[in-house]
Amino acid sequence: MDDGPTPVKRSKTNDIKVVSPSKTSELYGGCSDMSDEVSEKHPAEQLRDIGRNSGLDVTCVEFAKHMDSMDHVHHLRNKFHYPKMKDLPKVDHSLIDPEEDSIYFAGHSLGLQPKAARGYIEREMDKWAKMGVYGHTRGELPWAQGDECVDAQCAKLVGAKREEVAIMNALTVNLHLLLVSFYRPTKERHKILLESKAFPSDHYAFESQIHFHGYNPETSMICMEPREGEHTLRTEDIVARILQEGDSIAVICFSGVQYYTGQLFDMRAITKAGHTKGCIVGFDLAHAVGNVELSLHDWGMDFACWCSYKYLCSGAGGIGGIFIHERHARNDFPKFLGWWGHDLKTRFTMDNKMDLSPGPYGYRISNPSMLACASLWAAVDVYMEVSMKDLQAKSKLLTGYLELLIQLHYSKPKDSKKDVSPYVEIITPADVNQRGCQLSLSFSCPIKDIYAELERQGVVCDKREPNVLRVAPIHLYNSFVDVFRFVKILGEALHACHLC
């Protein structure tokens, strides 16, 4: 291995069942359309304009088909294995066409399998079978540098320099390794600022790090709550809290996109405010990477970490990644070390004298799985065929279409005392610059039966307690027709709930 290689790279009808007629609520925001022209209009207005110009009603399936015909990244769907109705475990076969595509809106939880992934993995399995240990230094994915074969692509996806990114471990492991360096509490500055409903694993990591350093989470964790009656945090409130308590805050660590509400945080503004008060600023990008356009280097955050099995589609438990800004490349912070952090040029001298790689490479501990790297490579290769700008432009319209149809058909009745029909509230921000693919839907009735009915009809999404369904039409492989079909089935589920 000391002659290491140079890295290389069901309904059958077309009408949506309306539970109760209601007008769409007032929309606002900005969006880029699918031709890359910047528009000040909200996607709902753009979609209505397209409908008027094409002579099609936005609530008919022909409009959805028209939108798919204009989608210049629609071909990417063919690069993924898309689950058929017949293969889902909870469908009612009396209600579905077994050969029809399911409605897979769970890419925020687990992305679909790239068709190329099997070939990439089998290539490494074949190399292992044929040459054994020599596979460490041979082939397109030499195992001794397997992670380095995909870090350039991942750096592009997160808006970083290649030397600011390393591919390693899993998300929470990486968060802990980063906090070992970046959370260095003192008597005066020992707090961690986060959102109140952070993903549990993040919350546990922060708590345990605080305990490890001898502090009490009750006094060292600031969990920000939305204003009363609101579901999401306002940027101005986050900034105000930082300016108010920043002198006692050691680390600020929010999600890039909040897993429960789907809110996209203003990472640039949070970073700027944190640095103004001398805080370290980092982000968990599990729901942001591959979902929205990122510029980690330019935004100036100190660190970030992410997983790769959601929007990046590397498979369950796929390998994670970290970002460390170049200004910290040769920091002297505490670190947990392993031999994969040793510079490859001298790693095999075996003299037990650490020659630490600069930047995030120095945070690597053990050699990564060749199979995990191969799977990730297959996934990011799809992303390299298109820009995140193009994907996000589609996403704004696709998720905007979902929002528009829900608000047209299933929003809260004006007179809820007279009209007791079940309704849907979207708790994700209406501002398209504060969200990605996901919409989080809250219901006026228990979601258990609604969720079960969606599953019976081949819809794949997920529920989160107490009363939210997370639904994510993914720009890579979902279509406007998928959205239309989902909203129709949702209406049937609401109708069934109303009759119970």
Side-chain angles (χ1 to χ4, degrees):
M1 290 191 352
D2 43 352
D3 59 340
T6 301
V8 288
K9 348 181 35 179
R10 249 59 25 99
S11 267
K12 313 275 189 217
T13 61
N14 291 332
D15 297 317
I16 296 175
K17 188 176 194 58
V18 179
V19 174
S20 59
S22 59
K23 294 182 179 179
T24 185
S25 60
E26 184 177 354
L27 303 175
Y28 57 93
C31 178
S32 299
D33 67 17
M34 294 166 76
S35 64
D36 294 336
E37 294 179 0
V38 176
S39 171
E40 294 301 321
K41 294 181 179 179
H42 188 277
E45 297 178 62
Q46 293 186 55
L47 291 162
R48 286 194 178 95
D49 287 346
I50 294 170
R52 281 191 290 268
N53 293 337
S54 61
L56 296 170
D57 189 324
V58 295
T59 63
C60 71
V61 71
E62 287 75 18
F63 176 82
K65 291 177 179 178
H66 177 67
M67 292 300 298
D68 284 334
S69 72
M70 296 196 304
D71 175 13
H72 65 278
V73 298
H74 184 69
H75 67 284
L76 296 177
R77 182 183 178 110
N78 295 324
K79 294 184 178 292
F80 293 87
H81 290 290
Y82 201 97
K84 296 292 184 182
M85 290 283 194
K86 64 182 179 182
D87 294 319
L88 299 182
K90 296 186 178 181
V91 294
D92 183 335
H93 288 267
S94 69
L95 299 175
I96 55 96
D97 175 353
E99 299 302 324
E100 190 176 24
D101 284 346
S102 66
I103 303 171
Y104 194 88
F105 280 0
H108 59 287
S109 183
L110 180 67
L112 293 180
Q113 181 188 133
K115 290 180 178 178
R118 186 183 301 273
Y120 280 55
I121 291 171
E122 287 180 348
R123 181 184 67 193
E124 300 314 310
M125 295 293 287
D126 187 59
K127 184 169 65 175
W128 180 23
K130 290 180 177 178
M131 64 177 67
V133 72
Y134 291 105
H136 281 96
T137 58
R138 299 292 188 274
E140 292 183 79
L141 187 74
W143 306 329
Q145 294 173 291
D147 52 336
E148 298 176 27
C149 292
V150 289
D151 58 12
Q153 300 95 310
C154 291
K156 181 179 179 181
L157 280 174
V158 301
K161 297 183 178 181
R162 180 173 183 172
E163 59 269 22
E164 294 176 316
V165 168
I167 306 305
M168 53 191 250
N169 306 316
L171 174 58
T172 308
V173 174
N174 287 336
L175 180 57
H176 273 297
L177 292 174
L178 290 165
L179 290 173
V180 166
S181 276
F182 289 99
Y183 179 55
R184 305 184 305 280
T186 65
K187 183 178 179 181
E188 294 76 24
R189 190 186 286 270
H190 55 87
K191 296 178 182 178
I192 297 178
L193 176 66
L194 62 151
E195 73 263 32
S196 62
K197 205 172 181 62
F199 190 75
S201 197
D202 288 3
H203 191 99
Y204 303 151
F206 298 140
E207 279 187 332
S208 62
Q209 287 281 337
I210 289 169
H211 279 304
F212 180 78
H213 287 280
Y215 291 87
N216 186 343
E218 290 188 8
T219 54
S220 293
M221 284 180 72
I222 304 173
C223 300
M224 281 206 66
E225 297 274 0
R227 296 185 187 186
E228 185 175 353
E230 298 183 359
H231 298 288
T232 56
L233 289 165
R234 299 189 186 189
T235 301
E236 61 263 33
D237 291 347
I238 298 173
V239 170
R241 192 68 174 270
I242 293 170
L243 296 179
Q244 177 185 359
E245 299 193 45
D247 291 338
S248 65
I249 296 173
V251 169
I252 299 166
C253 194
F254 279 78
S255 307
V257 172
Q258 219 284 330
Y259 87 98
Y260 186 80
T261 65
Q263 179 183 9
L264 169 61
F265 287 111
D266 188 337
M267 289 176 263
R268 181 197 293 270
I270 293 171
T271 299
K272 182 179 179 181
H275 287 169
T276 297
K277 298 298 290 187
C279 309
I280 291 290
V281 183
F283 289 90
D284 170 357
L285 302 177
H287 287 265
V289 64
N291 177 3
V292 296
E293 197 169 5
L294 300 170
S295 299
L296 304 192
H297 175 82
D298 291 344
W299 293 342
M301 62 190 64
D302 298 286
F303 70 86
C305 51
W306 58 88
C307 58
S308 65
Y309 54 82
K310 300 180 187 294
Y311 295 91
L312 290 190
C313 304
S314 73
I319 194 166
I322 67 170
F323 162 86
I324 297 176
H325 199 277
E326 66 177 356
R327 65 178 172 274
H328 298 301
R330 298 191 180 276
N331 69 65
D332 59 356
F333 304 156
K335 300 177 183 67
F336 287 163
L337 301 178
W339 82 312
W340 225 249
H342 192 115
D343 194 306
L344 181 60
K345 299 185 189 69
T346 56
R347 187 181 298 162
F348 291 94
T349 58
M350 304 294 194
D351 61 2
N352 288 346
K353 296 179 180 179
M354 173 57 82
D355 180 11
L356 189 66
S357 299
Y361 275 23
Y363 286 73
R364 301 179 301 177
I365 292 178
S366 300
N367 57 320
S369 163
M370 62 176 180
L371 303 183
C373 291
S375 180
L376 177 58
W377 196 349
V380 296
D381 268 1
V382 179
Y383 274 95
M384 294 301 102
E385 296 184 25
V386 64
S387 71
M388 279 305 304
K389 181 179 180 181
D390 283 344
L391 287 176
Q392 194 163 4
K394 173 186 174 178
S395 178
K396 288 179 177 180
L397 283 178
L398 190 64
T399 300
Y401 185 47
L402 174 61
E403 176 188 49
L404 175 61
L405 292 184
I406 289 174
Q407 291 184 324
L408 281 171
H409 297 297
Y410 313 132
S411 57
K412 185 176 182 178
K414 288 184 177 180
D415 189 346
S416 56
K417 292 182 179 180
K418 292 183 179 180
D419 188 345
V420 294
S421 300
Y423 60 86
V424 181
E425 179 184 6
I426 300 172
I427 68 172
T428 307
D431 182 354
V432 296
N433 297 311
Q434 294 186 55
R435 71 185 188 203
C437 296
Q438 174 185 327
L439 290 185
S440 295
L441 312 180
S442 178
F443 293 80
S444 63
C445 53
I447 62 172
K448 180 182 177 182
D449 292 337
I450 293 174
Y451 183 67
E453 182 63 25
L454 292 174
E455 286 191 308
R456 289 176 68 226
Q457 298 206 43
V459 173
V460 186
C461 56
D462 66 13
K463 60 180 178 178
R464 287 292 179 266
E465 298 298 337
N467 206 39
V468 163
L469 291 184
R470 300 188 303 169
V471 181
I474 307 298
H475 38 43
L476 280 177
Y477 47 73
N478 282 126
S479 67
F480 289 86
V481 169
D482 289 336
V483 170
F484 177 89
R485 291 170 61 212
F486 168 79
V487 174
K488 180 180 180 300
I489 294 172
L490 177 63
E492 295 170 0
L494 287 168
H495 182 68
C497 177
H498 184 45
L499 295 178
C500 292

